[in-house]
Amino acid sequence: MMQYLRLIPAKFGLINKAAFHLQIKRINPDDTFILSYPKSGNTWVRFIISYMIKGTDQTITFDDLETIVPEAYRSQDFIDSQKSNRFIKTHDLFFDDYPYIIYIYRDYRDVLVSLYHFQMAWNIFTGSFAQFIRHGLKNLHNHGTWQDHIKGALACKEKNPGKILMVSYEKLLDDFYTEALKIAQFCHLDIDNIDFDMVEQKTSFDEIKENENENGSRFMRKTKQNFAREGKAGVWKDVFTKDDLDYLYQDQEIVGLLKKLNYPLVQEKTVVI
Ligand code: PPS
């Protein structure tokens, strides 16, 4: 209802465009958006930021994330009640009026594998992986395409490098400290008071999975499966057939963006664990 009443003012630019789309009251100048295409590692980064802010003495659960790095659409009231230094998660496309952005990206082929399992678990899609990459992506209406997402991030980086930090899922797996330090600095957190080794430990895939098994998650309550599913890079090489890859690579924009982000196109098996 509230959103309906905001339609006309939003149309005439009287309400901030991003705030209208995310269904929150306003965007603050010190907001940081944790932004990514789905299944790119957003939850992992939310855990990292949460442990950096709250410390590692306690265990932060999946449910706790909603009061530390809440998700737009799900936690509007909480977001609206926060006065400053908000962190907000979203999978929506870019808006110019996001003040600061941590943009997480992941090899699109691994994203597709993860997304396939996610949609199967929710019963949003049923069928084979081959069918999914050809027909299953229509369900992601809010988020646009991976290509649009990445192009938005790259354009923002070029136009306004100070307001965006690009975080690669694979680099985070490979060199946690370097990437986590960049996140902390970008968020103006007191790095002298962060125990990066402990943050790494608390947010490791195994620990997050154990945390989920003990404390649950919305995903687990609904699907009886773990949200923390596999947590690896390069699994696409075992999933895509040659036909699947040929199909994906018909889209030259996807090929160009994979190359630009330094993801090799060939199917050599080099899984990073
Ligand atoms: S969502 O639902 O769109 O917000 O998903 P998102 O959090 O962006 O991405 C989910 C994938 O991230 C994996 N994940 C992790 N990988 C490595 N380390 C840690 N700690 C971690 N936590 C979550 C999660 O398992 C999903 O990837 P897949 O490939 O499905 O395992």
Side-chain angles (χ1 to χ4, degrees):
M1 177 65 180
M2 189 63 193
Q3 187 68 354
Y4 182 71
L5 291 174
R6 293 182 346 144
L7 246 173
I8 305 278
K11 196 172 164 58
F12 289 102
L14 301 171
I15 295 179
N16 177 295
K17 210 166 147 194
F20 176 73
H21 277 273
L22 299 178
Q23 302 181 13
I24 56 177
K25 282 190 183 144
R26 58 183 194 283
I27 302 288
N28 292 339
D30 58 357
D31 283 343
T32 303
F33 284 84
I34 314 303
L35 194 66
S36 64
Y37 190 75
K39 312 319 282 181
S40 302
N42 199 313
T43 312
W44 186 14
V45 171
R46 290 168 81 201
F47 270 113
I48 294 169
I49 293 171
S50 299
Y51 276 114
M52 285 175 173
I53 294 173
K54 298 281 181 192
T56 50
D57 294 343
Q58 66 211 297
T59 291
I60 291 167
T61 65
F62 277 78
D63 293 329
D64 292 335
L65 291 180
E66 284 310 317
T67 55
I68 311 172
V69 187
E71 178 168 7
Y73 299 119
R74 184 159 306 146
S75 301
Q76 285 101 320
D77 290 345
F78 178 76
I79 294 171
D80 286 337
S81 73
Q82 283 183 297
K83 297 274 177 285
S84 59
N85 293 319
R86 304 186 299 186
F87 293 95
I88 302 171
K89 174 218 167 162
T90 178
H91 289 308
D92 273 25
L93 283 167
F94 268 80
F95 289 103
D96 284 341
D97 35 22
Y98 287 154
Y100 297 102
I101 303 149
I102 294 181
Y103 189 80
I104 308 126
Y105 63 97
R106 184 183 189 186
D107 187 323
Y108 185 42
R109 296 156 296 188
D110 283 336
V111 166
L112 287 172
V113 175
S114 179
L115 207 43
Y116 170 63
H117 288 284
F118 183 82
Q119 294 213 1
M120 291 282 284
W122 279 106
N123 276 323
I124 299 169
F125 182 83
T126 46
S128 66
F129 179 72
Q131 288 165 336
F132 173 71
I133 61 168
R134 288 162 178 82
H135 312 291
L137 296 167
K138 299 181 206 71
N139 304 321
L140 291 162
H141 47 274
N142 262 342
H143 312 312
T145 62
W146 180 81
Q147 302 88 288
D148 287 343
H149 243 270
I150 300 291
K151 280 189 295 177
L154 292 174
C156 177
K157 180 86 192 148
E158 194 166 320
K159 220 165 66 188
N160 236 323
K163 81 179 217 172
I164 181 165
L165 176 72
M166 303 279 288
V167 176
S168 139
Y169 177 90
E170 294 78 11
K171 282 191 197 146
L172 205 49
L173 273 180
D174 203 35
D175 183 358
F176 182 87
Y177 176 73
T178 305
E179 299 307 305
L181 181 64
K182 284 188 210 158
I183 292 173
Q185 287 170 330
F186 185 79
C187 297
H188 301 294
L189 300 177
D190 179 4
I191 54 171
D192 294 334
N193 275 324
I194 296 172
D195 184 339
F196 285 91
D197 287 342
M198 275 307 289
V199 174
E200 178 168 18
Q201 202 178 309
K202 289 286 232 182
T203 64
S204 70
F205 180 79
D206 290 344
E207 185 85 16
I208 294 291
K209 190 167 185 166
E210 202 179 307
N211 178 344
E212 185 178 26
N213 287 336
E214 268 174 36
N215 304 302
S217 68
R218 198 174 79 97
F219 182 82
M220 187 177 246
R221 288 190 287 272
K222 296 269 184 191
T223 66
K224 313 284 177 243
Q225 298 181 29
N226 276 103
F227 177 87
R229 192 188 63 85
E230 192 163 12
K232 290 181 185 160
V235 289
W236 66 270
K237 293 167 192 167
D238 296 322
V239 178
F240 275 71
T241 62
K242 184 170 179 316
D243 268 4
D244 293 337
L245 264 194
D246 288 347
Y247 172 78
L248 195 74
Y249 293 169
Q250 278 172 26
D251 187 326
Q252 284 307 306
E253 195 166 49
I254 292 177
V255 171
L257 289 169
L258 285 171
K259 281 188 192 160
K260 196 162 188 155
L261 297 173
N262 291 321
Y263 293 118
L265 295 182
V266 288
Q267 211 166 351
E268 288 157 25
K269 294 192 193 277
T270 50
V271 177
V272 178
I273 298 174

